[in-house]
Amino acid sequence: MNKLLPTLALAAVSLAAHAQTDSTDTGKLTVSGYIDSYYLTAFNKPKSGNLLGVDQLAGRAFDRLPDQFALGLVQAKLAYSNRKSDLVIDLTFGPNADLGNFGNTTGALNLYRPASPYVAALYGTSAAIKQAYFTYRIVPKLSVTVGQFGTHIGYEVIDAPVNYNYSLSNLFNNGPFYHIGLKAAYAFNDKTSLMLGVVNNWDNLTDNNKQKSLIGQFTYKPLSNLTLYANWIGGHGDDAYLSTLVDAGTLPTACDNYQRNLFDLTTNFQVTSRFYLGLNAAYGWYNFKDNDAEQAVSALFGSTSPAWGGAALYTNYAFTDVLGLGLRYEYFNDKNGVRYLHTSSNSLTITAPITLAAGKLQVKPEFRLDVAPNAYYENAQGLGTDRQSTLGMAFIYKY
Amino acid sequence: MRALLAFLCLLLAAPLAHSQALPLDSQGKVSFYEVVPADSLRAGTLYAHAKRWLAHHGYQVSTADSAAGRLVATQALAMYDRGYLTKKLHGKVRYQLMLEVKNGRYRLEFNNFIFDYYQEDRAYRLVPTGKTKPLEDSLATGWQKLWQSHRHDTLLGINSLQADLKTAMLAVAKAPVAAPQARSATW
């Protein structure tokens, strides 16, 4: 042990020294990551002490704890890149890592997870893997990626430094977070590219059946400051939760015969050097193919072809490199209860990020208002109320 | 006492050398300009040398007028945030290089320096954000030290490229390699 520590320290120093002296764009190792924490208060003062709503569903996904200092996530990301390949090992720890990797865990976050085909303890280390994949460029225009990677669907990501707003949108919270599988990307030219792949459904470390989901992304960059992404994921019988209900006998077998599709449009538009506009819109639905399933599906979802979707508009203005102001408006509908929100919601989020220490430190004061058509949120008496507003501050440090 | 004065001078000179100013033109824009004599070299030769050097260094050529002896091209220098463990791409300084050749001389000018901010996109690729900052802008609130380092790295980078270009422009064309002669029985 006495010799091991100095040896490891020496190895780490030499690795860092080697990386520092590398001045080329190829064959380089990058170590990066961040930590984040937040403090917020909710004006509806929920009796339960969290922001999930009166029925404890998904009123807020990640930043769910009011009136206390709360840790978000700790990330350690290693990336190695050379001319032919990229390797990403993205490890995360902490409350938001558990939430983000819920498909790699067992317990309250993942009640429908099938029994681990490995030993149960293996999920312990798997929960730390946010991403682990490599990309190999067969030719400069064609690459293949294999492993666990962040989803191509949507606008926001788990990584707090990448998002403008700290609090995550309902579109993000109710979409897939990651996939495990294989995808290939082809760049037709500098402006257009296409990605196609096959994955273990949504947020699945281990697949519950033999059905896979197909994924696709068409990227179009008509201007240097405008990018459009048209995304899709679809599959037959690829909802692990539904399959679990069928397996448990809660739903008839006919309910396992369906097609699920999700289409998503994401745009980034840096209008001027200071002014930015972004848009995210998504629509997903189930198409049950067996008439015998109609009654059970109707009883469960209130529709024979349950759907969900929404749209979010993002805009921000940079007064200086230090201070900006951004606004996000979002409408999201999950009235059929096929995702996690189980209602519709209008949300407004105003964030004024303060960026210090050459971009390493971000302090984000933020106000968010969510309004639902029903008494979805929770008040101080533990009863339902139609709105929830929070004011808080997030602290993000990246390296 | 002399030793002390020399030491103080050295202390003062060191930061000055580090903050060596970027050259500005009459409009106050950053510009590296030079007319270089190239005795005995014809304009056509200089043009060919320049074109080869641009291609070798990955420049995107927007104007290539051999009759007028004029080349205009663009390229960018990567700028890094040195970070705590490893460095990370922070942005790129793009610029334009204009070359004009005549018999026995040529002139070069590096100008239009713009810093493009980069950040990770949702697929964790470092991409330009669309935000820009002219290199003439000496202030960068919140990241002044890093900006100074970018300006300094640009100065060093362009000086190095300029020296390399000047060497390449005067390079004597290599004699064509003679084809290997077939072996014969009688030698």
Side-chain angles (χ1 to χ4, degrees):
Chain A
M1 186 67 184
N2 284 344
K3 285 181 181 175
L4 182 65
L5 278 175
T7 310
L8 283 173
L10 258 177
V13 168
S14 67
L15 196 65
H18 175 72
Q20 290 276 14
T21 52
D22 183 1
S23 62
T24 64
D25 273 341
T26 56
K28 69 171 185 236
L29 174 73
T30 309
V31 181
S32 61
Y34 74 94
I35 59 167
D36 73 283
S37 56
Y38 64 90
Y39 188 98
L40 60 80
T41 191
F43 297 109
N44 48 314
K45 302 189 184 304
K47 190 183 177 186
S48 64
N50 65 53
L51 305 175
L52 297 178
V54 70
D55 292 328
Q56 294 291 287
L57 291 167
R60 193 72 72 84
F62 281 33
D63 50 338
R64 53 172 65 179
L65 300 178
D67 302 317
Q68 59 182 289
F69 287 100
L71 189 65
L73 183 150
V74 180
Q75 182 194 47
K77 190 166 74 170
L78 282 87
Y80 175 78
S81 180
N82 63 25
R83 193 174 58 83
K84 291 291 281 184
S85 54
D86 301 319
L87 171 74
V88 172
I89 300 169
D90 183 357
L91 304 177
T92 54
F93 309 90
N96 289 355
D98 295 343
L99 292 165
N101 282 332
F102 70 99
N104 289 12
T105 62
T106 52
L109 292 170
N110 197 15
L111 291 171
Y112 60 86
R113 172 67 38 228
S116 168
Y118 316 107
V119 289
L122 190 59
Y123 280 120
T125 54
S126 302
I129 300 172
K130 182 160 143 287
Q131 298 190 100
Y133 65 84
F134 70 84
T135 297
Y136 184 74
R137 282 175 281 280
I138 299 164
V139 291
K141 287 189 169 187
L142 177 65
S143 65
V144 174
T145 299
V146 185
Q148 178 176 326
F149 39 81
T151 186
H152 59 298
I153 301 281
Y155 182 96
E156 298 176 14
V157 291
I158 288 174
D159 306 52
V162 179
N163 299 323
Y164 196 89
N165 309 103
Y166 182 71
S167 180
L168 291 157
S169 67
N170 285 317
L171 276 163
F172 173 83
N173 296 336
N174 292 272
F177 289 172
Y178 62 92
H179 309 286
I180 298 172
L182 179 153
K183 59 183 180 180
Y186 184 80
F188 297 100
N189 49 48
D190 290 345
K191 293 184 175 177
T192 51
S193 63
L194 180 69
M195 178 276 284
L196 292 170
V198 57
V199 297
N200 276 1
N201 312 336
W202 304 24
D203 309 318
N204 272 4
L205 175 65
T206 54
D207 205 349
N208 63 309
N209 57 26
K210 290 180 181 173
Q211 307 294 347
K212 299 287 174 285
S213 299
L214 297 177
I215 58 173
Q217 179 178 61
F218 178 72
T219 306
Y220 180 50
K221 194 175 171 66
L223 303 168
S224 63
N225 54 351
L226 172 63
T227 312
L228 294 94
Y229 303 91
N231 306 311
W232 166 72
I233 180 167
H236 180 267
D238 65 350
D239 184 333
Y241 175 61
L242 259 189
S243 300
T244 309
L245 293 179
V246 171
D247 291 345
T250 312
L251 290 174
T253 316
C255 289
D256 221 9
N257 184 14
Y258 62 89
Q259 176 80 20
R260 179 171 59 164
N261 284 294
L262 171 60
F263 285 92
D264 175 89
L265 175 71
T266 298
T267 66
N268 302 314
F269 185 23
Q270 187 72 45
V271 185
T272 69
S273 186
R274 295 185 182 278
F275 181 56
Y276 173 87
L277 270 176
L279 175 75
N280 183 207
Y283 184 75
W285 75 97
Y286 290 72
N287 182 21
F288 287 89
K289 297 185 173 177
D290 202 326
N291 291 336
D292 296 344
E294 278 191 7
Q295 202 177 349
V297 168
S298 268
L300 186 65
F301 298 122
S303 166
T304 52
S305 54
W308 77 100
L313 180 72
Y314 299 80
T315 178
N316 67 64
Y317 187 84
F319 297 106
T320 65
D321 284 334
V322 173
L323 182 65
L325 182 67
L327 185 147
R328 175 184 66 200
Y329 167 72
E330 180 193 22
Y331 171 75
F332 186 77
N333 184 351
D334 180 33
K335 283 179 181 169
N336 293 140
V338 286
R339 299 306 295 161
Y340 307 108
L341 192 68
H342 289 213
T343 186
S344 65
S345 176
N346 282 284
S347 305
L348 180 72
T349 308
I350 301 168
T351 312
I354 300 159
T355 307
L356 302 166
K360 291 184 175 65
L361 171 61
Q362 295 176 4
V363 179
K364 293 187 178 179
E366 186 167 281
F367 171 78
R368 175 166 172 168
L369 170 67
D370 293 272
V371 181
N374 54 338
Y376 182 83
Y377 299 101
E378 185 187 6
N379 65 17
Q381 289 76 44
L383 302 171
T385 176
D386 67 346
R387 63 194 56 211
Q388 176 164 271
S389 53
T390 59
L391 180 65
M393 185 99 80
F395 308 90
I396 303 159
Y397 196 93
K398 61 178 183 177
Y399 62 93
Chain B
M1 189 63 187
R2 277 184 187 172
L4 182 66
L5 277 173
F7 178 70
L8 285 173
C9 286
L10 260 177
L11 274 182
L12 287 170
L16 281 175
H18 186 263
S19 60
Q20 192 183 345
L22 287 159
L24 301 177
D25 65 10
S26 56
Q27 314 288 318
K29 300 280 185 188
V30 174
S31 169
F32 296 72
Y33 176 84
E34 191 173 358
V35 176
V36 187
D39 296 337
S40 80
L41 286 175
R42 309 287 301 167
T45 308
L46 289 169
Y47 183 86
H49 285 176
K51 206 170 173 187
R52 193 183 313 137
W53 186 86
L54 291 173
H56 180 69
H57 286 79
Y59 280 76
Q60 198 151 18
V61 179
S62 57
T63 303
D65 187 342
S66 56
R70 189 166 192 269
L71 285 157
V72 180
T74 53
Q75 181 55 293
L77 293 167
M79 296 291 136
Y80 293 92
D81 182 352
R82 272 150 188 94
Y84 297 113
L85 293 168
T86 55
K87 65 182 183 180
K88 195 173 180 181
L89 185 71
H90 183 245
K92 285 187 179 179
V93 173
R94 67 184 143 91
Y95 61 89
Q96 178 181 279
L97 169 59
M98 188 271 295
L99 278 158
E100 285 180 325
V101 299
K102 287 185 176 177
N103 288 335
R105 67 184 188 280
Y106 65 93
R107 66 175 178 174
L108 60 89
E109 184 174 15
F110 294 87
N111 58 16
N112 288 352
F113 288 89
I114 304 282
F115 176 75
D116 287 315
Y117 291 72
Y118 272 56
Q119 71 174 25
E120 282 182 328
D121 67 3
R122 66 184 316 285
Y124 308 98
R125 289 176 299 234
L126 283 160
V127 293
T129 62
K131 280 176 69 180
T132 58
K133 187 178 180 70
L135 200 66
E136 296 79 27
D137 195 347
S138 58
L139 292 175
T141 316
W143 57 295
Q144 188 65 41
K145 201 173 170 186
L146 185 59
W147 180 236
Q148 280 304 116
S149 133
H150 290 349
R151 281 164 53 93
H152 183 65
D153 288 349
T154 306
L155 177 70
L156 295 180
I158 296 298
N159 280 342
S160 165
L161 283 169
Q162 196 170 337
D164 190 56
L165 173 62
K166 283 158 77 173
T167 307
M169 290 295 277
L170 298 177
V172 178
K174 287 178 184 170
V177 180
Q181 288 184 343
R183 293 181 187 184
S184 62
T186 55
W187 54 276

